[in-house]
Amino acid sequence: MDKFINCNILLLSDTMSFRIILLGPPGSGKGTQAEKLNDDLGLITLSTGDMLREAVRNGTELGKMAKSYMDKGGLVPDDVVIGLVKEKMATLKEGFVLDGFPRTVQQAEALGEFTEIHHVINLDVDDDELVSRLTKRRSCPDCKVVYHLLFKPPMKDGICDKCGAALYQRTDDTEETVRARLKVYRDNTFPLIEYYEKKGILVNIDGRGNINEIYEAIEASL
Ligand code: AMP
């Protein structure tokens, strides 16, 4: 934590010592906290969900293939997402936050082969709250900022505070798909908690409550 004292803007080279995974179920606040780590420390966010949604919007072959899994709340095949992250990571000179990757032990093992991770933050939130959060979530397609209709509403209805784009509801944020995603999380991603605990780099953080307090807990753990 000494690196933060009196200075929120770190030198690019210093940020390389922050290679962070945000772990946690869908809706646990990974995207929101990644945005704060970006604003505060200049860490680059790599969100596999955002990369895949962009491919879907652009109608690429990858997007068409990924959409069939995403619409059902399932996981896109490991080799596809591993390839995406590896390619993106090769271009980075800054520290980064991984949001939504890895999601399986196979992805975690592949990641360990091409980079070293320093911190894994596991955001803990119960299922009922996750369903409420996700069904009331609205997202910005351009700058990716995430809102909640009750707890973090945009200043102007349906408009992104940061960039002015029209907000949208993700097609996988309906209750049925959210329940499917939570099951997929429990079956495939939950084992990563133990995987990173054994490596001694996992910190559990209570993901309920005030966004800034959660961020302070994350910052204090780095
Ligand atoms: P997210 O925005 O992280 O909630 O991801 C949205 C959807 O994209 C997920 O429900 C999956 O279908 C797909 N996806 C994102 N990241 C991954 C990943 N690491 N592995 C497999 N599928 C993923």
Side-chain angles (χ1 to χ4, degrees):
M1 202 44 204
D2 318 0
K3 296 189 178 79
F4 297 120
I5 295 173
N6 295 331
C7 177
N8 277 345
I9 311 290
L10 299 168
L11 294 173
L12 273 188
S13 56
D14 288 342
T15 71
M16 263 324 235
S17 60
F18 294 100
R19 298 182 189 175
I20 301 172
I21 293 173
L22 287 177
L23 208 60
S28 56
K30 300 187 296 294
T32 302
Q33 296 300 334
E35 187 197 332
K36 290 182 86 63
L37 284 162
N38 174 272
D39 288 349
D40 203 20
L41 304 176
L43 305 184
I44 299 295
T45 303
L46 293 186
S47 156
T48 39
D50 282 345
M51 291 179 210
L52 293 167
R53 277 184 291 279
E54 195 173 320
V56 172
R57 264 197 302 277
N58 293 337
T60 62
E61 283 309 309
L62 165 70
K64 283 180 204 153
M65 185 273 288
K67 189 174 187 316
S68 59
Y69 296 94
M70 295 168 81
D71 281 349
K72 291 195 221 86
L75 292 184
V76 174
D78 282 338
D79 54 336
V80 174
V81 275
I82 290 167
L84 273 180
V85 172
K86 195 171 178 181
E87 192 183 305
K88 194 88 180 185
M89 216 169 251
T91 66
L92 288 186
K93 294 188 179 58
E94 304 93 337
F96 56 79
V97 182
L98 283 167
D99 165 8
F101 183 93
R103 259 176 156 100
T104 64
V105 171
Q106 197 188 332
Q107 291 178 16
E109 280 173 350
L111 177 68
E113 279 166 22
F114 56 81
T115 194
E116 187 194 352
I117 296 295
H118 306 113
H119 306 278
V120 181
I121 313 285
N122 180 45
L123 294 172
D124 197 16
V125 181
D126 63 68
D127 278 14
D128 286 343
E129 172 145 359
L130 293 170
V131 173
S132 149
R133 283 187 187 185
L134 288 168
T135 52
K136 293 188 176 61
R137 174 159 79 174
R138 297 296 178 269
S139 310
C140 174
D142 291 346
C143 71
K144 321 292 187 224
V145 173
V146 174
Y147 298 86
H148 183 283
L149 294 183
L150 299 179
F151 304 124
K152 191 193 167 196
M155 285 185 289
K156 211 168 148 199
D157 240 13
I159 302 293
C160 178
D161 295 348
K162 204 162 177 177
C163 75
L167 301 177
Y168 78 114
Q169 181 176 26
R170 281 172 45 173
T171 52
D172 59 352
D173 277 347
T174 58
E175 177 152 0
E176 193 192 347
T177 315
V178 165
R179 298 259 177 216
R181 287 162 66 201
L182 291 177
K183 181 170 177 351
V184 166
Y185 167 78
R186 268 191 301 273
D187 293 346
N188 298 279
T189 313
F190 190 76
L192 290 181
I193 295 176
E194 198 184 338
Y195 179 90
Y196 284 115
E197 234 159 23
K198 281 192 182 141
K199 291 190 183 292
I201 53 173
L202 183 114
V203 180
N204 284 302
I205 302 240
D206 186 346
R208 293 165 306 171
N210 182 282
I211 291 170
N212 290 330
E213 283 170 17
I214 297 166
Y215 182 68
E216 277 167 24
I218 292 176
E219 217 184 19
S221 78
L222 297 177

